[in-house]
Amino acid sequence: MMFSELNVVNKSQKAFLRKLYLAHLLDEEQHNLLSLQKLTGMPRRTLQDAISAFADIGIKVDFIQQGQRHNEGYYRISTWGPISSAWVNSHFQQIKMVIEEGEPQELAS
């Protein structure tokens, strides 16, 4: 996959990759905002914004309620829509490096 002619990831592409990264994490294990925050080091608001924007790229996520409190539970991907979860899985380490590094970053094809 080529993000641009020069393979440099810009801000909006990084936001897209962040969604793929988080969707992969949610597909692999049961996570809530707190566990995602601890795992990724991302601010809570960034995580909330990214998860709420999954629908923009066709990923459907559900919050599975467990317990009495409104925030007890975990997120689950119900469909990846047009996104290939296999591609995300095979490029996960590359995506993670881009997410964790400063901008701009290169992403190999």
Side-chain angles (χ1 to χ4, degrees):
M1 178 173 182
M2 211 161 164
F3 290 96
S4 71
E5 196 168 87
L6 298 175
N7 246 11
V8 174
V9 179
N10 67 31
K11 189 174 180 176
S12 63
Q13 290 164 335
K14 188 171 181 178
F16 175 75
L17 291 174
R18 184 180 299 113
K19 291 176 191 119
L20 298 182
Y21 172 75
L22 291 172
H24 174 82
L25 294 177
L26 296 178
D27 212 27
E28 294 292 305
E29 290 183 49
Q30 293 180 355
H31 285 288
N32 56 27
L33 286 176
L34 183 60
S35 66
L36 284 173
Q37 199 172 4
K38 287 179 181 177
L39 180 64
T40 66
M42 291 182 199
R44 182 180 184 91
R45 187 66 195 162
T46 300
L47 293 167
Q48 289 172 319
D49 289 347
I51 292 169
S52 68
F54 278 0
D56 295 349
I57 61 172
I59 296 175
K60 184 171 180 342
V61 64
D62 298 310
F63 186 78
I64 308 304
Q65 187 72 37
Q66 291 182 321
Q68 299 298 327
R69 295 172 45 145
H70 71 282
N71 60 351
E72 289 182 32
Y74 62 93
Y75 291 99
R76 181 183 65 197
I77 301 296
S78 59
T79 180
W80 280 82
I83 306 295
S84 168
S85 61
W87 184 92
V88 174
N89 189 45
S90 66
H91 290 81
F92 181 72
Q93 289 305 319
Q94 227 177 341
I95 292 169
K96 183 179 178 184
M97 283 179 17
V98 172
I99 298 305
E100 292 176 347
E101 300 279 329
E103 298 174 24
Q105 292 298 314
E106 292 188 16
L107 183 69
S109 300

